Amino acid sequence: MKIVVFGVCLYILFTFFCLVYVLMMIDALKHFISIIFTIIIPSIFVLFIYWTYYKACTIGPGYVPLAWAPEFFSKDQLEKAKLKALEKNFQNFISYEKPTYCIKCAAWKPERAHHCKDCNKCILKMDHHCPFINGCVGHYNHKYFILFLFYCTIGCSYCWSIFAVCAYKYININWMKLLMGIQTEFIIFIVNLTVLGGVTIAIGSLFTWQIWVISNNCTTIETYEHQWTEKESQILKKIFKWKYDLGSSSANWQVVFGDCKYRKKWNWYWLLPLKPDINSGLNYESMIINSQITNSVTIV
């Protein structure tokens, strides 16, 4: 899957060179102001896209430490549960309670951790496996993945706007030539506007989805449980409350992007792909305390 990563990097570079080419083609680089808006600003977007993409690809999502075992249980209880799991071989049984035992890894895993069949490991707070970063999005690289989507969405939208303006100017200047036949430059405009527009919509949709996920302190995998418990609450006519929702969007975002200093709702360094001040990924704060969860062992 490394070829996918290489393809993403190559497409970003190709789009930027196409942008410079069409700007030179319509002679739009005469003034310093136009250079700022058409070259320097897109270059900054490209820099941040590459920076965040590199961090998302190279920093692992976080894996369960070796010999980790859940608390509040004796060794005898854990051993009996492990033997029971191996006897029944509940490989297709899914549970969101804690703690869970992974048969494939032959190890315990903390809450919100899931086994990835592609990575063949248990991922801390796994969101999903992403082929575009050649790995999983999890506890430690979720921030970088979000920032990559953010800068891609903004950067692609900005570059698409420049392409659209350049195409409009090109058609006004060369409309006589276009009537006589399709020009190569016109094909460049159409291809870039179409492809870049599709990429912008796709990445923007994923970014919008991730905003909802983080605002609710949820993951893509956990949305199934989120929807199921919400429907159950509606049937029972109870007020729905997601167990990991900390009560405010800013508090939920701090789980991924790090604690805010000086009681601010957000920090400017959230926009930079710097290491977030987050927990170990082995325990998570929950607004709902379920005594049955802390007194039972779940096998998956």
Side-chain angles (χ1 to χ4, degrees):
M1 299 302 292
K2 292 183 179 179
I3 192 172
V4 177
V5 176
F6 177 75
V8 172
C9 297
L10 190 63
Y11 173 73
I12 295 171
L13 197 62
F14 172 77
T15 303
F16 180 74
F17 279 119
C18 284
L19 179 65
V20 175
Y21 174 76
V22 298
L23 289 169
M24 295 175 62
M25 184 175 59
I26 64 172
D27 201 18
L29 302 177
K30 291 182 177 180
H31 307 288
F32 181 70
I33 298 298
S34 62
I35 293 177
I36 292 176
F37 285 98
T38 58
I39 297 296
I40 296 178
I41 292 180
S43 298
I44 294 174
F45 281 128
V46 170
L47 173 64
F48 274 92
I49 289 172
Y50 273 123
W51 189 8
T52 54
Y53 188 59
Y54 171 78
K55 300 282 277 188
C57 292
T58 56
I59 294 180
Y63 307 105
V64 180
L66 295 175
W68 180 87
E71 300 176 353
F72 310 113
F73 298 96
S74 65
K75 292 184 178 180
D76 292 336
Q77 287 178 313
L78 296 177
E79 191 64 28
K80 289 179 181 179
K82 186 187 300 185
L83 292 174
K84 187 177 180 181
L86 295 173
E87 289 174 1
K88 294 190 176 182
N89 196 19
F90 290 158
Q91 293 189 19
N92 296 322
F93 180 73
I94 299 176
S95 176
Y96 298 95
E97 294 182 350
K98 62 178 183 179
T100 55
Y101 183 78
C102 179
I103 295 178
K104 295 180 180 179
C105 292
W108 294 97
K109 58 183 179 180
E111 58 179 321
R112 311 191 78 174
H114 294 272
H115 184 88
C116 175
K117 63 179 181 180
D118 296 300
C119 299
N120 197 27
K121 293 181 180 179
C122 286
I123 309 299
L124 294 176
K125 197 193 172 196
M126 179 179 174
D127 187 82
H128 68 285
H129 183 87
C130 180
F132 293 102
I133 67 170
N134 193 33
C136 281
V137 177
H139 179 69
Y140 286 110
N141 64 351
H142 202 172
K143 173 187 176 180
Y144 308 118
F145 181 74
I146 296 298
L147 288 178
F148 170 67
L149 296 180
F150 169 72
Y151 286 113
C152 275
T153 302
I154 302 299
C156 289
S157 301
Y158 188 86
C159 291
W160 188 91
S161 301
I162 295 177
F163 271 116
V165 172
C166 291
Y168 176 77
K169 291 183 177 180
Y170 176 80
I171 293 173
N172 282 342
I173 297 173
N174 301 279
W175 64 273
M176 287 294 294
K177 293 182 179 179
L178 293 174
L179 291 176
M180 299 177 63
I182 298 178
Q183 304 295 316
T184 304
E185 293 81 0
F186 183 72
I187 296 176
I188 294 175
F189 281 118
I190 296 300
V191 170
N192 279 279
L193 285 172
T194 303
V195 176
L196 191 59
V199 170
T200 304
I201 294 173
I203 296 179
S205 301
L206 181 57
F207 177 62
T208 303
W209 165 253
Q210 286 292 325
I211 289 177
W212 181 90
V213 166
I214 296 179
S215 298
N216 289 275
N217 196 4
C218 192
T219 64
T220 300
I221 292 178
E222 291 172 345
T223 53
Y224 297 103
E225 183 192 6
H226 187 283
Q227 295 172 359
W228 180 80
T229 53
E230 185 176 12
K231 289 181 181 178
E232 184 181 35
S233 299
Q234 293 175 354
I235 294 174
L236 298 176
K237 296 181 179 180
K238 294 182 179 180
I239 298 176
F240 171 72
K241 181 68 176 179
W242 174 240
K243 60 184 178 181
Y244 293 114
D245 189 351
L246 300 180
S248 66
S249 296
S250 60
N252 292 333
W253 276 75
Q254 290 180 44
V255 175
V256 176
F257 280 76
D259 293 335
C260 289
K261 308 296 182 182
Y262 312 113
R263 297 183 179 179
K264 294 181 180 180
K265 291 185 177 180
W266 69 282
N267 282 304
W268 61 269
Y269 63 79
W270 280 7
L271 299 176
L272 299 177
L274 303 176
K275 184 179 180 180
D277 183 17
I278 54 180
N279 62 20
S280 63
L282 300 175
N283 297 286
Y284 287 93
E285 183 180 354
S286 176
M287 297 296 290
I288 299 176
I289 300 176
N290 190 338
S291 60
Q292 294 181 352
I293 291 179
T294 58
N295 291 317
S296 62
V297 177
T298 303
I299 307 162
V300 296

